[in-house]
Amino acid sequence: MSETYTFTVNGVLRETAEDKPLLRYLRDDLELHSVKDGCSEGACGTCTISVDGRPVRACILTTKKASGKTILTVEGLSVPEKEAFVYAFGKVGAVQCGFCIPGMVMAGKTLLDQNPNPTEAQIKKAIRGNMCRCTGYKKIIEGISLVGAILRGEAQIDPELEKGDVYGVGDRAFRIDVRDKVLGTGEYCDDLCLDGMVYASAVRSAYPRAKVLSIDAAPALAVPGVLAVLTAEDVPHNKVGHIQQDWDVMIAVGDTTRCVGDALCLVVAESEFILSQAKAAVKIEYEPLEPVRNIHEAMAEGAPLIHQSGNLCQSRHVTRGDAGAALANSRYTVTQSYKTPFTEHAFLEPECAVALPHKNGVKVYTSDQGVYDTRHEISIMLGWEPERIVVENKLVGGGFGGKEDVSVQHLAVLAALKVGRPVKARLTRQESIRFHPKRHAMEGTFTLGCDENGIFTALDCDIYFDTGAYASLCGPVLERACTHSVGPYCYQNTDIRGYGYYTNNPPTGAFRGFGVCQSEFALESCINLLAEKVGISPWEIRFRNAIEPGRVLPNGQIADGSTALKETLLAVQEVYEANSGRAGIACAMKNAGVGVGLPDKGRCRLAVEHGTVRLYSAASDIGQGCSTIFLQILAQTAGLPLEKLQNMGSSSETAPDSGTTSGSRQTLITGEAVRMAAADLRAVLDQAGGDLSALEGQEFFAEFFDPTDRLGSDKPNPKSHVAYGFATHVVVLDDDGRVKEVWAAHDSGKVVNPTSIQGQIEGGVLMGLGYALTEDFPLQDCVPQARFATLGLLRADQIPEIHAIYVDKDTPLPFAYGAKGIGEIATIPTAPAVQGAYYAMDHILRTTLPMENTFYKKPKL
């Protein structure tokens, strides 16, 4: 007689004969989707629940061990508790991508049950096991504190805040997705359960470089419940790629693998349990080959070719003026080499997609950063007209650039077309770590010169990127690293050479900062060394060289009237000078929009349907909040309340293409398209005397495009980008060398939502601190050695005080109410500011990341 396990879940007695992870029982059997699967390793905290009043990770507790216990999930909270968490988290801005939030709610709930009035330190300790990659934790801590105050009767819920009575540009708007994300009712791809749905997963290479001699799928096909095993022979065109189509969908027999993430065959089965059995049954025969481990091996004469075209994936040469002559005539020069590592995005939601046959083609629900990009890659693979493929975003649990390439979407499509049923394909956390593109590792040598007053004269540098097994976005990322390596300063002599090499390491691509985190770390370090030679402070040398309106950037673009870099420097001057000897400073600029001559367009369609203005724009909201920003712009322009507005999400079937969520572009580029369409609607609405019902059935479409000039343009003052954001960060250390405070002053133009931008800055700063101090991605012969728990991600009890400062000018950009975007630049200046702080403290120049010999990483004995 089989044993049964009995426990109470949300007040209901439950019984099962299966001994399996409680996470799987809650999600699969009870369909309690607030309990998220972020890693299944007990490392991320997204599956946190209450067990007998204590926070427990559901992935490490089994149904057998749960016997006799009382289990509570977000679904089981009382109505007052639910409303308190929704209001508090929305008010303070604790919700971005939202994937970690139900786990945070349960960690907060168990704390408040035990301690109704916790201190900040106690809250930090309570959520230490819950990771967040978006917010920097500060807003979540504030949210839990406010929940406690509400439940104690010391604070009140203002129902008007969520209703959006105040919802214009510049208002602290309550994000439209807060309720769904806090309560776990919003759907991410892995929450989808469609009728007849089956499961697909790839068998992936055990070696970074090996010839595939044979694939024997017969044992897998013999497993009951296995529907199909697909190989490269089943793929119409066996290549995909975001820009360069060099990425094999699956490695064919006789071909050579390029990284450990490579797919060899795709198994489709009735259940995930059967799927795991079948994958283990597939027999692969390899001939292991010596891998190409790094840039130097890739460049070596006679090196094995990763691709037939050679090991040089991309190169860029950016020049202006005569850097050689200017450096030769400079009073002071500094030459220094730097090295930065691969880093993992560590978004909390692993990659997942659900595909199904649809009309005369296929539909795929996905978690990505651009539905039209995904449609394009799938159309190449299938050889179809793109219109036959529908791609629709569900909620996206973070991206940071790591979800620009297809990962499982195309595999789900192949499987769905093969078996004629809905198919879910998802990566385990370890598959994600091994497979999806990382931040490029960089090696670079920079020479910067100045005159006797510290005025910069020229920059000469070589930048080498390890792009791993596939191109992904190597070209654009390398280009941005080169064009931004000059910094936000005024000088006209540059010679910058950039190279991206293929290796057998995991692929690299877009990551928040888009190559600029690497090159700016090097440049800002050189600036500190030059200041020392001149005999002025790091703040002073930056202020003397800072770009300002009407002056010319090193790329030739004339700075527009909104440029406020000097204002960001002035905003942090006092705190920097008050902490002399333990403070570091760094500046940065980052483009908003793709620019460099590419057709970067924002589009919006407004439809008046059933008395509501529905906004259609295929702009992926990956947690940054653009879905709310668009409604704020629409409300401001059309003069309508939130209750009359609805954002319909990102789908290639219903919404116009608004480009990739990348390059800090959506607020400005698509936001301006929304403003334009809303202005047209407003004009007609005014003619109708403000009666929205008179516009029923009407549509308003707008496309925004502000042309830019290509890289290498022969214009004396080319326009490389629509706009630039600027920032200055100051990092202050305590006496033990721990980061005590970060002051982040930003020129992001007009702040559309002050609550959202604050969270973006805090999250970006914490990501930059991790890049500087703790995060690493160790490889052994091209094989990743890290697990999620060992990536070095900073936790809630490690965060410093982060002070976000916003500056803008009275001469804003003429687009999107003057907004420029914040997503990427929030991360860029932090690492060099940290380096500068340590240099000020001990005069040791740390030229590699993560930095050695710090409070966070002691020297090896």
Side-chain angles (χ1 to χ4, degrees), residues 484 553 555 557 589-592 720-721 723-726 747 820:
H484 284 58
L553 284 160
N555 63 8
Q557 182 163 335
M589 68 177 183
K590 187 64 177 69
N591 57 290
S720 294
H721 293 283
Y724 289 98
F726 299 92
D747 161 27
K820 299 189 201 179

Side-chain angles (χ1 to χ4, degrees), residues 188-190 192 198-204 230 240 247-250 261-263 265-268 272 275 279 347 349-356 362-369 374-375 377-378 381-382 389 391-393 402-417 422-437:
Y188 298 84
C189 284
D190 196 26
L192 287 175
V198 296
Y199 302 87
S201 182
V203 175
R204 298 185 181 276
L230 288 75
V240 291
W247 203 324
D248 291 58
V249 177
M250 287 182 270
D262 275 333
C265 64
L266 182 66
V267 182
V268 191
E272 291 186 286
L275 186 62
K279 286 178 62 178
F347 33 73
E349 177 208 26
E351 297 86 341
C352 183
V354 176
L356 64 154
V362 67
K363 183 172 186 176
V364 56
Y365 295 103
T366 180
S367 171
D368 61 28
Q369 296 183 220
T374 296
R375 186 180 80 162
E377 289 200 59
I378 293 171
M381 178 188 72
L382 296 177
I389 302 154
V391 182
E392 181 177 320
N393 277 155
K403 292 180 178 176
E404 291 195 31
D405 302 87
V406 291
S407 54
V408 291
Q409 301 96 319
H410 57 318
L411 301 182
V413 165
L414 284 172
L417 294 175
V423 176
K424 179 183 287 186
R426 64 179 180 180
L427 297 183
T428 66
R429 176 57 69 179
Q430 203 57 30
E431 285 175 329
S432 178
I433 286 173
R434 286 179 163 227
F435 179 68
H436 86 253

Side-chain angles (χ1 to χ4, degrees), residues 690-720:
D691 181 8
L692 187 61
S693 64
L695 277 63
E696 185 69 26
Q698 293 192 43
E699 293 191 356
F700 304 86
F701 175 82
E703 176 181 284
F704 170 64
F705 175 49
D706 188 46
T708 55
D709 298 312
R710 63 176 177 80
L711 186 67
S713 168
D714 57 5
K715 293 183 179 179
N717 295 108
K719 180 179 178 179
S720 294

Side-chain angles (χ1 to χ4, degrees), residues 731-752:
V731 168
V732 180
L733 305 177
D734 66 15
D735 292 339
D736 296 321
R738 181 195 288 111
V739 177
K740 176 185 176 184
E741 292 180 295
V742 180
W743 297 77
H746 280 263
D747 161 27
S748 297
K750 175 65 177 178
V751 176
V752 179

Side-chain angles (χ1 to χ4, degrees), residues 423-707:
V423 176
K424 179 183 287 186
R426 64 179 180 180
L427 297 183
T428 66
R429 176 57 69 179
Q430 203 57 30
E431 285 175 329
S432 178
I433 286 173
R434 286 179 163 227
F435 179 68
H436 86 253
K438 316 301 172 196
R439 192 191 299 280
H440 290 81
M442 181 201 79
E443 295 183 24
T445 299
F446 283 58
T447 299
L448 182 66
C450 70
D451 66 15
E452 64 277 9
N453 296 312
I455 304 302
F456 300 151
T457 54
L459 173 71
D460 180 277
C461 63
D462 288 294
I463 297 171
Y464 291 88
F465 273 1
D466 184 334
T467 201
Y470 299 102
S472 181
L473 278 85
C474 177
V477 175
L478 180 66
E479 184 172 293
R480 211 65 70 243
C482 291
T483 59
H484 284 58
S485 65
V486 296
Y489 305 110
C490 300
Y491 60 103
Q492 299 299 306
N493 299 293
T494 57
D495 194 333
I496 303 149
R497 301 163 297 280
Y499 311 91
Y501 278 91
Y502 289 118
T503 65
N504 288 120
N505 292 319
T508 53
F511 196 155
R512 191 180 204 168
F514 213 76
V516 184
C517 291
Q518 296 94 311
S519 58
E520 280 293 276
F521 169 67
L523 178 78
E524 291 291 310
S525 173
C526 288
I527 291 173
N528 292 340
L529 299 177
L530 271 185
E532 197 170 39
K533 288 191 173 187
V534 177
I536 58 177
S537 76
W539 184 92
E540 181 63 33
I541 196 171
R542 286 171 171 82
F543 192 78
R544 290 183 185 184
N545 287 280
I547 190 67
E548 51 191 326
R551 298 194 67 186
V552 181
L553 284 160
N555 63 8
Q557 182 163 335
I558 299 172
D560 64 59
S562 73
T563 301
L565 177 62
K566 282 199 165 182
E567 285 78 358
T568 68
L569 278 159
L570 291 169
V572 298
Q573 181 182 10
E574 183 177 348
V575 70
Y576 176 74
E577 293 178 349
N579 289 278
S580 177
R582 54 194 180 100
I585 188 169
C587 298
M589 68 177 183
K590 187 64 177 69
N591 57 290
V594 175
V596 292
L598 297 174
D600 187 21
K601 299 180 180 181
R603 299 181 180 92
C604 172
R605 177 170 65 90
L606 302 176
V608 183
E609 300 168 344
H610 308 293
T612 300
V613 180
R614 292 179 171 172
L615 190 158
Y616 295 87
S617 181
S620 299
D621 191 329
I622 62 175
Q624 84 279 27
C626 66
S627 294
T628 297
I629 294 293
F630 297 157
L631 290 186
Q632 288 183 256
I633 293 173
L634 173 55
Q636 179 78 31
T637 311
L640 293 169
L642 179 62
E643 64 184 16
K644 293 293 184 180
L645 312 176
Q646 186 177 7
N647 192 316
M648 303 304 292
S650 181
S651 170
S652 66
E653 189 169 34
T654 59
D657 184 2
S658 265
T660 316
T661 293
S662 180
S664 304
R665 58 178 299 281
Q666 292 295 7
T667 295
L668 192 164
I669 304 295
T670 302
E672 174 61 9
V674 172
R675 190 202 63 77
M676 292 165 64
D680 291 343
L681 182 150
R682 177 65 180 266
V684 177
L685 184 63
D686 286 347
Q687 291 174 3
D691 181 8
L692 187 61
S693 64
L695 277 63
E696 185 69 26
Q698 293 192 43
E699 293 191 356
F700 304 86
F701 175 82
E703 176 181 284
F704 170 64
F705 175 49
D706 188 46

